[in-house]
Amino acid sequence: MNMILCCGNISLRERWAATLRPLFPTYQASSLQDLRILVGQRVSFDLLFVHRILVDWESVAYIRERQPSCRLFILSDRPDDTEGLAFLRQGVVGYANSYINPERLVEAARMVASGSVWINQQLMQRLIAESAPAASPEGSKNGKDQPDQRLTDLSNREYQIAGLVAEGLSNLEIAEQLGITERTVKAHLGAVYTKTSTRSRLELALLLNKRKPA
């Protein structure tokens, strides 16, 4: 899996490279023109981390059209949730602060490489809230509100926590609501991910919300 880091700020690009180079074969580009040259040399790449300063909506659409299998991650000096949501709707799989700490950057790269989405907690909550369908009491009464088969192995507590994740609550908010520690929430959530074959809060929320009648 090849990665390209596209950023005109040399020190920032080197910061990303120092962190991500041990994970994947990494190429660097200082501009979109350099990026075009790399692609023109038939360098195939799966991950593209690009500085927000270099791209606009049209260039993101162009990249998505020309490299549909590429996972595009945008790093912004001033991330904005509304902008991040708009990019996600364009097919971007990651949106974060340009100066994200190295540990989080590694986690983000691994997550998007595995096919998941990486965004901050606030934006995640907005996405989850938007994915939740309207309640339908009639549907529940008719027995249509049946859980996905992947949810049937969850314990009562695990199912409860999964439901709160689907409502957009953070681990801390779940811990406070249930009167348990945040560490316990994380442990339960890890078990939920394993049992449901999901890899992120968004995937889990979509799974939970999908079962609810529209």
Side-chain angles (χ1 to χ4, degrees), residues 101-132:
N101 71 58
E103 293 77 14
R104 296 280 285 172
L105 183 57
V106 167
E107 185 180 354
R110 285 176 171 162
M111 184 167 286
V112 297
S114 71
S116 295
V117 172
W118 177 274
I119 49 180
N120 66 38
Q121 182 65 38
Q122 291 75 24
L123 187 50
M124 178 71 73
Q125 289 175 333
R126 279 187 63 175
L127 266 179
I128 289 173
E130 290 191 7
S131 76

PDB file of all heavy atoms in Angstrom, residues 101-132:
ATOM      1  N   ASN A 101      -1.246  14.997  16.728  1.00  0.00           N
ATOM      2  CA  ASN A 101      -0.048  14.403  17.329  1.00  0.00           C
ATOM      3  C   ASN A 101       0.300  13.084  16.639  1.00  0.00           C
ATOM      4  O   ASN A 101      -0.577  12.427  16.050  1.00  0.00           O
ATOM      5  CB  ASN A 101      -0.209  14.238  18.848  1.00  0.00           C
ATOM      6  CG  ASN A 101      -1.187  13.148  19.237  1.00  0.00           C
ATOM      7  OD1 ASN A 101      -1.027  11.983  18.874  1.00  0.00           O
ATOM      8  ND2 ASN A 101      -2.205  13.512  20.007  1.00  0.00           N
ATOM      9  N   PRO A 102       1.567  12.680  16.659  1.00  0.00           N
ATOM     10  CA  PRO A 102       2.020  11.501  15.904  1.00  0.00           C
ATOM     11  C   PRO A 102       1.241  10.225  16.210  1.00  0.00           C
ATOM     12  O   PRO A 102       0.937   9.445  15.293  1.00  0.00           O
ATOM     13  CB  PRO A 102       3.497  11.361  16.324  1.00  0.00           C
ATOM     14  CG  PRO A 102       3.905  12.752  16.677  1.00  0.00           C
ATOM     15  CD  PRO A 102       2.697  13.376  17.311  1.00  0.00           C
ATOM     16  N   GLU A 103       0.934   9.987  17.479  1.00  0.00           N
ATOM     17  CA  GLU A 103       0.218   8.763  17.835  1.00  0.00           C
ATOM     18  C   GLU A 103      -1.157   8.731  17.174  1.00  0.00           C
ATOM     19  O   GLU A 103      -1.587   7.697  16.644  1.00  0.00           O
ATOM     20  CB  GLU A 103       0.067   8.639  19.351  1.00  0.00           C
ATOM     21  CG  GLU A 103       1.371   8.433  20.110  1.00  0.00           C
ATOM     22  CD  GLU A 103       2.191   9.704  20.261  1.00  0.00           C
ATOM     23  OE1 GLU A 103       1.644  10.811  20.006  1.00  0.00           O
ATOM     24  OE2 GLU A 103       3.375   9.608  20.625  1.00  0.00           O
ATOM     25  N   ARG A 104      -1.838   9.860  17.182  1.00  0.00           N
ATOM     26  CA  ARG A 104      -3.162   9.934  16.560  1.00  0.00           C
ATOM     27  C   ARG A 104      -3.062   9.850  15.035  1.00  0.00           C
ATOM     28  O   ARG A 104      -3.941   9.278  14.383  1.00  0.00           O
ATOM     29  CB  ARG A 104      -3.834  11.247  16.952  1.00  0.00           C
ATOM     30  CG  ARG A 104      -4.123  11.376  18.431  1.00  0.00           C
ATOM     31  CD  ARG A 104      -5.361  10.634  18.850  1.00  0.00           C
ATOM     32  NE  ARG A 104      -6.557  11.342  18.443  1.00  0.00           N
ATOM     33  CZ  ARG A 104      -7.787  10.835  18.557  1.00  0.00           C
ATOM     34  NH1 ARG A 104      -7.953   9.620  19.034  1.00  0.00           N
ATOM     35  NH2 ARG A 104      -8.844  11.536  18.179  1.00  0.00           N
ATOM     36  N   LEU A 105      -2.002  10.393  14.469  1.00  0.00           N
ATOM     37  CA  LEU A 105      -1.818  10.320  13.027  1.00  0.00           C
ATOM     38  C   LEU A 105      -1.607   8.880  12.582  1.00  0.00           C
ATOM     39  O   LEU A 105      -2.148   8.440  11.565  1.00  0.00           O
ATOM     40  CB  LEU A 105      -0.636  11.194  12.599  1.00  0.00           C
ATOM     41  CG  LEU A 105      -0.363  11.283  11.097  1.00  0.00           C
ATOM     42  CD1 LEU A 105      -1.594  11.784  10.350  1.00  0.00           C
ATOM     43  CD2 LEU A 105       0.835  12.196  10.829  1.00  0.00           C
ATOM     44  N   VAL A 106      -0.820   8.128  13.350  1.00  0.00           N
ATOM     45  CA  VAL A 106      -0.622   6.712  13.050  1.00  0.00           C
ATOM     46  C   VAL A 106      -1.947   5.967  13.132  1.00  0.00           C
ATOM     47  O   VAL A 106      -2.289   5.153  12.259  1.00  0.00           O
ATOM     48  CB  VAL A 106       0.402   6.087  14.026  1.00  0.00           C
ATOM     49  CG1 VAL A 106       0.374   4.567  13.946  1.00  0.00           C
ATOM     50  CG2 VAL A 106       1.806   6.602  13.724  1.00  0.00           C
ATOM     51  N   GLU A 107      -2.694   6.239  14.182  1.00  0.00           N
ATOM     52  CA  GLU A 107      -4.002   5.595  14.355  1.00  0.00           C
ATOM     53  C   GLU A 107      -4.930   5.937  13.194  1.00  0.00           C
ATOM     54  O   GLU A 107      -5.639   5.069  12.663  1.00  0.00           O
ATOM     55  CB  GLU A 107      -4.621   6.046  15.679  1.00  0.00           C
ATOM     56  CG  GLU A 107      -5.925   5.366  16.029  1.00  0.00           C
ATOM     57  CD  GLU A 107      -6.518   5.844  17.344  1.00  0.00           C
ATOM     58  OE1 GLU A 107      -5.851   6.633  18.051  1.00  0.00           O
ATOM     59  OE2 GLU A 107      -7.654   5.450  17.666  1.00  0.00           O
ATOM     60  N   ALA A 108      -4.906   7.201  12.781  1.00  0.00           N
ATOM     61  CA  ALA A 108      -5.754   7.633  11.676  1.00  0.00           C
ATOM     62  C   ALA A 108      -5.364   6.931  10.380  1.00  0.00           C
ATOM     63  O   ALA A 108      -6.231   6.468   9.628  1.00  0.00           O
ATOM     64  CB  ALA A 108      -5.639   9.149  11.500  1.00  0.00           C
ATOM     65  N   ALA A 109      -4.072   6.856  10.100  1.00  0.00           N
ATOM     66  CA  ALA A 109      -3.605   6.208   8.868  1.00  0.00           C
ATOM     67  C   ALA A 109      -3.990   4.739   8.837  1.00  0.00           C
ATOM     68  O   ALA A 109      -4.437   4.214   7.813  1.00  0.00           O
ATOM     69  CB  ALA A 109      -2.091   6.365   8.740  1.00  0.00           C
ATOM     70  N   ARG A 110      -3.811   4.074   9.942  1.00  0.00           N
ATOM     71  CA  ARG A 110      -4.169   2.656  10.001  1.00  0.00           C
ATOM     72  C   ARG A 110      -5.664   2.448   9.809  1.00  0.00           C
ATOM     73  O   ARG A 110      -6.110   1.506   9.154  1.00  0.00           O
ATOM     74  CB  ARG A 110      -3.714   2.061  11.334  1.00  0.00           C
ATOM     75  CG  ARG A 110      -2.204   1.826  11.404  1.00  0.00           C
ATOM     76  CD  ARG A 110      -1.773   1.342  12.764  1.00  0.00           C
ATOM     77  NE  ARG A 110      -0.365   0.930  12.753  1.00  0.00           N
ATOM     78  CZ  ARG A 110       0.363   0.796  13.838  1.00  0.00           C
ATOM     79  NH1 ARG A 110      -0.154   1.051  15.044  1.00  0.00           N
ATOM     80  NH2 ARG A 110       1.630   0.412  13.741  1.00  0.00           N
ATOM     81  N   MET A 111      -6.449   3.349  10.390  1.00  0.00           N
ATOM     82  CA  MET A 111      -7.893   3.210  10.292  1.00  0.00           C
ATOM     83  C   MET A 111      -8.383   3.407   8.865  1.00  0.00           C
ATOM     84  O   MET A 111      -9.167   2.611   8.353  1.00  0.00           O
ATOM     85  CB  MET A 111      -8.581   4.187  11.244  1.00  0.00           C
ATOM     86  CG  MET A 111     -10.097   4.046  11.265  1.00  0.00           C
ATOM     87  SD  MET A 111     -10.890   4.905  12.639  1.00  0.00           S
ATOM     88  CE  MET A 111     -10.449   3.829  13.993  1.00  0.00           C
ATOM     89  N   VAL A 112      -7.913   4.476   8.202  1.00  0.00           N
ATOM     90  CA  VAL A 112      -8.386   4.699   6.833  1.00  0.00           C
ATOM     91  C   VAL A 112      -7.818   3.644   5.884  1.00  0.00           C
ATOM     92  O   VAL A 112      -8.464   3.270   4.909  1.00  0.00           O
ATOM     93  CB  VAL A 112      -8.055   6.122   6.343  1.00  0.00           C
ATOM     94  CG1 VAL A 112      -8.775   7.161   7.191  1.00  0.00           C
ATOM     95  CG2 VAL A 112      -6.561   6.388   6.321  1.00  0.00           C
ATOM     96  N   ALA A 113      -6.629   3.136   6.182  1.00  0.00           N
ATOM     97  CA  ALA A 113      -6.060   2.073   5.350  1.00  0.00           C
ATOM     98  C   ALA A 113      -6.899   0.805   5.436  1.00  0.00           C
ATOM     99  O   ALA A 113      -6.977   0.029   4.480  1.00  0.00           O
ATOM    100  CB  ALA A 113      -4.622   1.779   5.775  1.00  0.00           C
ATOM    101  N   SER A 114      -7.541   0.602   6.569  1.00  0.00           N
ATOM    102  CA  SER A 114      -8.366  -0.596   6.759  1.00  0.00           C
ATOM    103  C   SER A 114      -9.769  -0.421   6.199  1.00  0.00           C
ATOM    104  O   SER A 114     -10.577  -1.340   6.241  1.00  0.00           O
ATOM    105  CB  SER A 114      -8.449  -0.954   8.246  1.00  0.00           C
ATOM    106  OG  SER A 114      -9.240  -0.011   8.957  1.00  0.00           O
ATOM    107  N   GLY A 115     -10.059   0.782   5.692  1.00  0.00           N
ATOM    108  CA  GLY A 115     -11.365   1.010   5.088  1.00  0.00           C
ATOM    109  C   GLY A 115     -12.331   1.826   5.918  1.00  0.00           C
ATOM    110  O   GLY A 115     -13.475   2.033   5.507  1.00  0.00           O
ATOM    111  N   SER A 116     -11.892   2.299   7.083  1.00  0.00           N
ATOM    112  CA  SER A 116     -12.767   3.089   7.938  1.00  0.00           C
ATOM    113  C   SER A 116     -12.599   4.582   7.669  1.00  0.00           C
ATOM    114  O   SER A 116     -11.785   4.992   6.841  1.00  0.00           O
ATOM    115  CB  SER A 116     -12.467   2.793   9.415  1.00  0.00           C
ATOM    116  OG  SER A 116     -12.778   1.448   9.732  1.00  0.00           O
ATOM    117  N   VAL A 117     -13.363   5.377   8.399  1.00  0.00           N
ATOM    118  CA  VAL A 117     -13.319   6.828   8.285  1.00  0.00           C
ATOM    119  C   VAL A 117     -12.701   7.402   9.549  1.00  0.00           C
ATOM    120  O   VAL A 117     -12.912   6.882  10.643  1.00  0.00           O
ATOM    121  CB  VAL A 117     -14.746   7.393   8.088  1.00  0.00           C
ATOM    122  CG1 VAL A 117     -14.756   8.903   8.172  1.00  0.00           C
ATOM    123  CG2 VAL A 117     -15.325   6.931   6.751  1.00  0.00           C
ATOM    124  N   TRP A 118     -11.920   8.480   9.393  1.00  0.00           N
ATOM    125  CA  TRP A 118     -11.322   9.135  10.563  1.00  0.00           C
ATOM    126  C   TRP A 118     -11.772  10.591  10.614  1.00  0.00           C
ATOM    127  O   TRP A 118     -11.500  11.382   9.711  1.00  0.00           O
ATOM    128  CB  TRP A 118      -9.796   9.080  10.502  1.00  0.00           C
ATOM    129  CG  TRP A 118      -9.164   9.814  11.655  1.00  0.00           C
ATOM    130  CD1 TRP A 118      -8.879  11.157  11.711  1.00  0.00           C
ATOM    131  CD2 TRP A 118      -8.783   9.284  12.914  1.00  0.00           C
ATOM    132  NE1 TRP A 118      -8.337  11.478  12.932  1.00  0.00           N
ATOM    133  CE2 TRP A 118      -8.265  10.351  13.691  1.00  0.00           C
ATOM    134  CE3 TRP A 118      -8.821   8.009  13.466  1.00  0.00           C
ATOM    135  CZ2 TRP A 118      -7.790  10.168  14.978  1.00  0.00           C
ATOM    136  CZ3 TRP A 118      -8.346   7.823  14.747  1.00  0.00           C
ATOM    137  CH2 TRP A 118      -7.836   8.895  15.492  1.00  0.00           C
ATOM    138  N   ILE A 119     -12.466  10.950  11.704  1.00  0.00           N
ATOM    139  CA  ILE A 119     -12.883  12.328  11.935  1.00  0.00           C
ATOM    140  C   ILE A 119     -12.882  12.576  13.434  1.00  0.00           C
ATOM    141  O   ILE A 119     -12.782  11.632  14.224  1.00  0.00           O
ATOM    142  CB  ILE A 119     -14.289  12.604  11.365  1.00  0.00           C
ATOM    143  CG1 ILE A 119     -15.273  11.505  11.808  1.00  0.00           C
ATOM    144  CG2 ILE A 119     -14.267  12.751   9.875  1.00  0.00           C
ATOM    145  CD1 ILE A 119     -16.669  11.691  11.285  1.00  0.00           C
ATOM    146  N   ASN A 120     -13.015  13.830  13.848  1.00  0.00           N
ATOM    147  CA  ASN A 120     -13.012  14.115  15.274  1.00  0.00           C
ATOM    148  C   ASN A 120     -14.348  13.741  15.919  1.00  0.00           C
ATOM    149  O   ASN A 120     -15.329  13.461  15.238  1.00  0.00           O
ATOM    150  CB  ASN A 120     -12.648  15.577  15.547  1.00  0.00           C
ATOM    151  CG  ASN A 120     -13.693  16.557  15.020  1.00  0.00           C
ATOM    152  OD1 ASN A 120     -14.893  16.327  15.084  1.00  0.00           O
ATOM    153  ND2 ASN A 120     -13.217  17.681  14.489  1.00  0.00           N
ATOM    154  N   GLN A 121     -14.379  13.758  17.240  1.00  0.00           N
ATOM    155  CA  GLN A 121     -15.554  13.310  17.974  1.00  0.00           C
ATOM    156  C   GLN A 121     -16.790  14.147  17.661  1.00  0.00           C
ATOM    157  O   GLN A 121     -17.892  13.618  17.480  1.00  0.00           O
ATOM    158  CB  GLN A 121     -15.268  13.346  19.485  1.00  0.00           C
ATOM    159  CG  GLN A 121     -16.431  12.846  20.343  1.00  0.00           C
ATOM    160  CD  GLN A 121     -16.725  11.381  20.121  1.00  0.00           C
ATOM    161  OE1 GLN A 121     -15.817  10.579  19.956  1.00  0.00           O
ATOM    162  NE2 GLN A 121     -17.997  11.021  20.103  1.00  0.00           N
ATOM    163  N   GLN A 122     -16.623  15.474  17.565  1.00  0.00           N
ATOM    164  CA  GLN A 122     -17.766  16.335  17.310  1.00  0.00           C
ATOM    165  C   GLN A 122     -18.390  16.060  15.947  1.00  0.00           C
ATOM    166  O   GLN A 122     -19.617  15.966  15.801  1.00  0.00           O
ATOM    167  CB  GLN A 122     -17.354  17.811  17.391  1.00  0.00           C
ATOM    168  CG  GLN A 122     -16.987  18.299  18.775  1.00  0.00           C
ATOM    169  CD  GLN A 122     -15.614  17.801  19.235  1.00  0.00           C
ATOM    170  OE1 GLN A 122     -14.747  17.480  18.412  1.00  0.00           O
ATOM    171  NE2 GLN A 122     -15.425  17.710  20.540  1.00  0.00           N
ATOM    172  N   LEU A 123     -17.522  15.897  14.948  1.00  0.00           N
ATOM    173  CA  LEU A 123     -18.017  15.620  13.602  1.00  0.00           C
ATOM    174  C   LEU A 123     -18.624  14.225  13.539  1.00  0.00           C
ATOM    175  O   LEU A 123     -19.631  14.000  12.859  1.00  0.00           O
ATOM    176  CB  LEU A 123     -16.875  15.762  12.597  1.00  0.00           C
ATOM    177  CG  LEU A 123     -17.240  15.679  11.110  1.00  0.00           C
ATOM    178  CD1 LEU A 123     -18.396  16.611  10.775  1.00  0.00           C
ATOM    179  CD2 LEU A 123     -16.023  16.015  10.266  1.00  0.00           C
ATOM    180  N   MET A 124     -18.031  13.284  14.260  1.00  0.00           N
ATOM    181  CA  MET A 124     -18.587  11.942  14.322  1.00  0.00           C
ATOM    182  C   MET A 124     -20.014  11.973  14.872  1.00  0.00           C
ATOM    183  O   MET A 124     -20.926  11.316  14.356  1.00  0.00           O
ATOM    184  CB  MET A 124     -17.710  11.053  15.215  1.00  0.00           C
ATOM    185  CG  MET A 124     -18.225   9.631  15.377  1.00  0.00           C
ATOM    186  SD  MET A 124     -18.063   8.652  13.871  1.00  0.00           S
ATOM    187  CE  MET A 124     -16.285   8.384  13.843  1.00  0.00           C
ATOM    188  N   GLN A 125     -20.215  12.760  15.928  1.00  0.00           N
ATOM    189  CA  GLN A 125     -21.536  12.852  16.528  1.00  0.00           C
ATOM    190  C   GLN A 125     -22.547  13.454  15.557  1.00  0.00           C
ATOM    191  O   GLN A 125     -23.704  13.033  15.513  1.00  0.00           O
ATOM    192  CB  GLN A 125     -21.468  13.670  17.816  1.00  0.00           C
ATOM    193  CG  GLN A 125     -20.758  12.930  18.951  1.00  0.00           C
ATOM    194  CD  GLN A 125     -20.588  13.785  20.198  1.00  0.00           C
ATOM    195  OE1 GLN A 125     -20.516  15.002  20.112  1.00  0.00           O
ATOM    196  NE2 GLN A 125     -20.518  13.141  21.350  1.00  0.00           N
ATOM    197  N   ARG A 126     -22.111  14.441  14.769  1.00  0.00           N
ATOM    198  CA  ARG A 126     -23.008  15.023  13.768  1.00  0.00           C
ATOM    199  C   ARG A 126     -23.391  14.004  12.709  1.00  0.00           C
ATOM    200  O   ARG A 126     -24.559  13.909  12.305  1.00  0.00           O
ATOM    201  CB  ARG A 126     -22.341  16.226  13.093  1.00  0.00           C
ATOM    202  CG  ARG A 126     -22.409  17.504  13.882  1.00  0.00           C
ATOM    203  CD  ARG A 126     -21.883  18.684  13.090  1.00  0.00           C
ATOM    204  NE  ARG A 126     -22.661  18.974  11.891  1.00  0.00           N
ATOM    205  CZ  ARG A 126     -22.419  20.028  11.105  1.00  0.00           C
ATOM    206  NH1 ARG A 126     -21.431  20.865  11.390  1.00  0.00           N
ATOM    207  NH2 ARG A 126     -23.151  20.244  10.038  1.00  0.00           N
ATOM    208  N   LEU A 127     -22.411  13.234  12.250  1.00  0.00           N
ATOM    209  CA  LEU A 127     -22.690  12.220  11.240  1.00  0.00           C
ATOM    210  C   LEU A 127     -23.634  11.153  11.771  1.00  0.00           C
ATOM    211  O   LEU A 127     -24.556  10.716  11.093  1.00  0.00           O
ATOM    212  CB  LEU A 127     -21.384  11.556  10.784  1.00  0.00           C
ATOM    213  CG  LEU A 127     -20.695  12.126   9.551  1.00  0.00           C
ATOM    214  CD1 LEU A 127     -19.425  11.357   9.280  1.00  0.00           C
ATOM    215  CD2 LEU A 127     -21.611  12.057   8.338  1.00  0.00           C
ATOM    216  N   ILE A 128     -23.387  10.721  13.001  1.00  0.00           N
ATOM    217  CA  ILE A 128     -24.235   9.700  13.610  1.00  0.00           C
ATOM    218  C   ILE A 128     -25.652  10.216  13.758  1.00  0.00           C
ATOM    219  O   ILE A 128     -26.625   9.517  13.466  1.00  0.00           O
ATOM    220  CB  ILE A 128     -23.656   9.263  14.969  1.00  0.00           C
ATOM    221  CG1 ILE A 128     -22.382   8.431  14.752  1.00  0.00           C
ATOM    222  CG2 ILE A 128     -24.677   8.433  15.759  1.00  0.00           C
ATOM    223  CD1 ILE A 128     -21.649   8.086  16.037  1.00  0.00           C
ATOM    224  N   ALA A 129     -25.776  11.462  14.213  1.00  0.00           N
ATOM    225  CA  ALA A 129     -27.109  12.044  14.394  1.00  0.00           C
ATOM    226  C   ALA A 129     -27.852  12.106  13.063  1.00  0.00           C
ATOM    227  O   ALA A 129     -29.053  11.833  12.992  1.00  0.00           O
ATOM    228  CB  ALA A 129     -26.987  13.431  15.008  1.00  0.00           C
ATOM    229  N   GLU A 130     -27.138  12.463  11.998  1.00  0.00           N
ATOM    230  CA  GLU A 130     -27.777  12.558  10.688  1.00  0.00           C
ATOM    231  C   GLU A 130     -28.150  11.192  10.128  1.00  0.00           C
ATOM    232  O   GLU A 130     -29.042  11.075   9.298  1.00  0.00           O
ATOM    233  CB  GLU A 130     -26.864  13.286   9.707  1.00  0.00           C
ATOM    234  CG  GLU A 130     -26.714  14.763  10.003  1.00  0.00           C
ATOM    235  CD  GLU A 130     -26.022  15.517   8.894  1.00  0.00           C
ATOM    236  OE1 GLU A 130     -25.784  14.915   7.829  1.00  0.00           O
ATOM    237  OE2 GLU A 130     -25.721  16.708   9.080  1.00  0.00           O
ATOM    238  N   SER A 131     -27.435  10.137  10.583  1.00  0.00           N
ATOM    239  CA  SER A 131     -27.720   8.797  10.070  1.00  0.00           C
ATOM    240  C   SER A 131     -28.917   8.170  10.757  1.00  0.00           C
ATOM    241  O   SER A 131     -29.469   7.177  10.280  1.00  0.00           O
ATOM    242  CB  SER A 131     -26.491   7.891  10.256  1.00  0.00           C
ATOM    243  OG  SER A 131     -26.359   7.497  11.613  1.00  0.00           O
ATOM    244  N   ALA A 132     -29.325   8.718  11.909  1.00  0.00           N
ATOM    245  CA  ALA A 132     -30.423   8.124  12.679  1.00  0.00           C
ATOM    246  C   ALA A 132     -31.759   8.436  12.016  1.00  0.00           C
ATOM    247  O   ALA A 132     -32.104   9.599  11.823  1.00  0.00           O
ATOM    248  CB  ALA A 132     -30.404   8.664  14.107  1.00  0.00           C
TER     249      ALA A 132
END
